[in-house]
Amino acid sequence: MSSKSILTDKHIILGVTGSIAAYKACALASRLTQHGALVDVIMTESATRFVAPLTFQALTGRPVYTTMWQTDASGGLGTHIAHVSLAHEADLLLIAPITANMMAKIAHGLADDLLSVTALASANRCPILIAPAMDVGMYENPVTLANVDILRSRGVRFAGPGSGRMASGLEGLGRFIEPDEIAGHCRRVLGMNGSLAGRRVVVTAGPTREPLDPVRYLTNYSSGKQGFAIAQAAVDAGAVVTLITGPVSLPTPIGVERVDVLDTRSMLDAVLVHATGDDPTDALIMAAAVADFRPEEIAERKIKKTQDPASMQIDLTYNPDILYEVSRQTRKPLLTVGFAAESDDLIAHAQEKLARKSLDMIVANDITAGDAGFAVDTNRVVFVMSEGIEELPLMSKEEVAQRIVAWVAEHQM
Ligand code: PMT
């Protein structure tokens, strides 16, 4: 189930300069296009030595610009001056990869090719995001570092560079970061003035894990997908997001501060630190599937199969209820949203939890449905509030996340 995202229908100019990393810009153009962005590629003359314009044209389904002297005859632009049209229509100017040379040109206002002219014409019209790619010596040269400072001071945003092995065989800072990460930076920049701009949101995700002995534990089937989608949707809306997660294998959305925890008590500690206290968060959204019980004792050594079956027993004890503990704090989040994973009497159980845990809203999901709840990519949820309920149809977890974030934005204090 494909969903709309902050990238859908956004007009992105992708500037590509002369670096071997230009081949990775093809994957980037493809990824942005798959997300529904309208990607217009401008290539410098040196970039065309590494990759053919036709490659980008095939991947984006749109014309590719390679010269200042191109008019609307091939591009269908709003005016016949390509750089003015492109800069006017863009939601974002992304230059990936950007060489030291292009950084220097933009830092000093030089404009002698279509990309540098477009960058100059973009000022105050759309944000500029750049992903550097160059050898460590070039990046760490004081000249380049001074240009980095100039660009930052003028509001240019950076995606990377990363550190690691480069095509030259050298290692260090200056490596082009991965296309998926750059797409994440695009989301962050496009969302920065969204409905939660400047607001702080804490999200929990994944399962908690309660150890039984050094090799075994009790847990549940939560994959973290729903919670991570909420964290991404909150970034897309401009929020400052902290994601407290149990053990899952998902990449961290760009722009999110991630706090990894294992068991319920460490998740409680992290939630109290990040969501309550002197400076409580604006919203707490608890999508984590928290283990309600833990073994009363953790065996120091691996429990052996040779043990007498008559003595095979695990005594359990209750874990703290995180949401209930949050509700008892004097300084708590302005809005608190919980989830209810239910296998029967969905609404009644959710209403009981809404009241008992002092929530503003609870997202009830029926975990008996094969296409909703744990581990799958879709969910079918009901928003339960004290004033009533809102049933949502089956949708992707990304869409559920966007609806929850929209609800938070509408109800923020
Ligand atoms: O991670 P996925 O694979 O994408 O699956 C998503 C999900 C099914 C895990 C998610 O949509 C969901 O329903 N999360 C809550 C699951 C759950 O633990 O529900 P609950 O009814 O046991 O708890 C109710 C609320 O209290 C939840 O917000 C939970 O985070 C919180 N809780 C629970 C126990 C506890 N000790 N402390 C808590 O704060």
Side-chain angles (χ1 to χ4, degrees), residues 222-224 226 286-288 292 320 322-323 339 353 357 365 375 397:
S222 171
S223 62
Q226 186 62 81
M286 286 278 305
D292 285 309
I322 300 174
L323 281 171
F339 268 75
K353 285 176 183 169
K357 301 185 184 219
N365 38 199
K397 284 186 173 168

Side-chain angles (χ1 to χ4, degrees), residues 204-207 220-228 248 250 264 267 285-293 319-325 337-342 353 356-357 359 362-365 367 372-376 378-379 381 397:
T204 67
N220 57 64
Y221 291 110
S222 171
S223 62
K225 286 180 185 175
Q226 186 62 81
F228 275 59
V248 296
L250 292 174
T264 298
M267 184 170 276
I285 305 173
M286 286 278 305
V290 180
D292 285 309
F293 321 102
N319 266 326
D321 188 303
I322 300 174
L323 281 171
Y324 177 70
E325 294 303 326
V337 174
F339 268 75
E342 303 295 345
K353 285 176 183 169
R356 179 162 49 86
K357 301 185 184 219
L359 304 174
I362 191 154
V363 182
N365 38 199
I367 51 164
F374 290 100
V376 290
T378 50
N379 212 350
V381 303
K397 284 186 173 168

Side-chain angles (χ1 to χ4, degrees), residues 299-333:
E300 265 177 39
R301 291 166 189 270
K302 184 178 169 192
I303 301 168
K304 293 286 179 204
K305 269 211 294 204
T306 50
Q307 201 170 317
D308 172 12
S311 68
M312 290 290 282
Q313 183 173 323
I314 302 168
D315 291 323
L316 298 176
T317 185
Y318 277 110
N319 266 326
D321 188 303
I322 300 174
L323 281 171
Y324 177 70
E325 294 303 326
V326 167
S327 74
R328 290 180 352 128
Q329 304 298 308
T330 21
R331 314 225 31 204
K332 45 191 173 226

